[in-house]
Amino acid sequence: QAGASVIHLHVRDEAGRASQEGKRFREAIRKIRARTDVIIQTSTGGAVGMSVAERAGPLECTGADAPDMATLNVGTINFGEDVFMNKAADTAEMAKRIRAHGAMPEVEVYDAGHLDIAADLLKQGLIAAPLHLQFVLGVKGALSASEANLEYLIERVATMFPAGTTWGVAGIGRHQLPMAELAAMWGGNARVGLEDNIYVDKGVLAEGSAPLVARAVELCGRHGRTVATVAEARALLGLATRA
Ligand code: ZN
C-alpha cells in the first residue's frame, strides 16, 4: 500500500531465530498472496553459517506457492565479526537450484569484485539475462555506502553486463534512505525496510517497513521519479505475470 512492488522475504521460527525452512516460507507466501500480487523474492542468504542445502529451503515452494525471485549471493565477505561464506562451488550450486526452480535470481553485490564473479557466472551460463543486481552497501567488512562507490558500480554495470540489466541499491543502517535517494536520481531501484535499517529518522524507530517504503516513495517524487506498479515492475524485470 505504501508503494513497494517487490517483497524481499526472510522468515523466523517461533523462537525468533532466522529460519530457511521451506514450510515457513510457504506459509508466509500464502498469506502475502492472499492479500496482494506483489513480487515475492525469497532470500537464499539465510544467516551466517547455514549450509547451501539449508539456505535453499525457500526453493521447496513451488507451483502456486513459488517465489518469483530468489537472491543469489556470489562472494564471500567479512560481515562485522562474522564471515559470510559463499564458495564458488556453493554459488554455482545455488544458481543451478534457482534456475531449476524457475525463480529469477537477484544477484547480491556486496563488494566490487562480486560484479566480476557475476559476469563469470553469466559467461558460464549459470545465470542468464535479463539480470537484476542488488548493491548491498555499508556492511562492515564489505564495500561502504558512498556516492562514489555507487557511481563506480553503476558505470561498471553499463560496461560489463548486457543492456537491460537492472540494478537496485540497499544501503545499510543510516545509509538506507540516502542510497535510495541516489537510486532515484540515477535511474535505479531502491530496497528499504527493517532488514537493513530500523530507523525512519535519526533516533526514531520505524514502525515496520512500510514507513520506510513511504519515505523512499517521497524521495522518488522529489526527483521526478514515480514508483512502478507491480505490473510495471514485472515488465521491467522481465518477469512473467502470475496466472
Ligand atoms: Zn535479506
Side-chain angles (χ1 to χ4, degrees):
Q1 286 172 338
S5 52
V6 181
I7 289 180
H8 171 75
L9 186 64
H10 286 260
V11 299
R12 293 178 183 275
D13 66 15
E14 284 79 5
R17 289 176 298 237
S19 167
Q20 286 294 104
E21 276 187 276
K23 63 172 190 192
R24 296 184 194 278
F25 275 93
R26 188 173 299 113
E27 195 185 334
I29 289 169
R30 283 183 182 168
K31 284 182 177 167
I32 293 166
R33 291 228 166 104
R35 294 174 57 172
T36 165
D37 64 347
V38 72
I39 297 164
I40 298 178
Q41 176 193 87
T42 50
S43 171
T44 67
V48 166
M50 289 179 178
S51 69
V52 171
E54 189 175 2
R55 284 164 55 174
L59 301 176
E60 290 165 17
C61 303
T62 54
D65 303 321
D68 301 281
M69 301 177 77
T71 60
L72 177 65
N73 295 280
V74 297
T76 297
I77 53 163
N78 287 321
F79 206 104
E81 291 302 313
D82 293 316
V83 174
F84 183 32
M85 186 75 82
N86 290 285
K87 290 183 181 177
D90 290 346
T91 296
E93 173 62 22
M94 190 66 87
K96 283 178 191 160
R97 288 187 189 213
I98 293 171
R99 169 168 284 191
H101 173 278
M104 178 186 188
E106 174 186 88
V107 178
E108 308 301 300
V109 175
Y110 289 82
D111 223 332
H114 293 186
L115 288 179
D116 298 271
I117 301 172
D120 208 40
L121 292 170
L122 186 64
K123 211 162 93 184
Q124 291 176 54
L126 287 163
I127 53 175
L131 285 182
H132 183 62
L133 309 171
Q134 184 75 267
F135 307 137
V136 185
L137 301 183
V139 169
K140 197 168 167 46
L143 197 62
S144 58
S146 72
E147 198 170 319
N149 285 343
L150 181 59
E151 198 173 9
Y152 170 77
L153 292 173
I154 296 167
E155 281 172 15
R156 296 294 289 145
V157 167
T159 57
M160 291 173 73
F161 295 97
T165 298
T166 53
W167 60 269
V169 61
I172 304 298
R174 65 189 166 84
H175 301 292
Q176 185 171 79
L177 292 168
M179 285 290 124
E181 183 163 19
L182 288 176
M185 290 165 66
W186 293 344
N189 303 281
R191 176 171 107 186
V192 296
L194 296 183
E195 179 179 5
D196 305 325
N197 164 43
I198 57 172
Y199 295 104
V200 71
D201 280 305
K202 193 173 180 189
V204 182
L205 288 169
E207 292 180 7
S209 290
L212 292 164
V213 172
R215 194 62 71 82
V217 170
E218 193 186 304
L219 292 171
C220 289
R222 209 178 283 174
H223 296 284
R225 302 280 307 279
T226 52
V227 293
T229 62
V230 173
E232 286 167 345
R234 282 188 189 280
L236 287 166
L237 290 165
L239 281 171
T241 305
R242 290 190 64 79

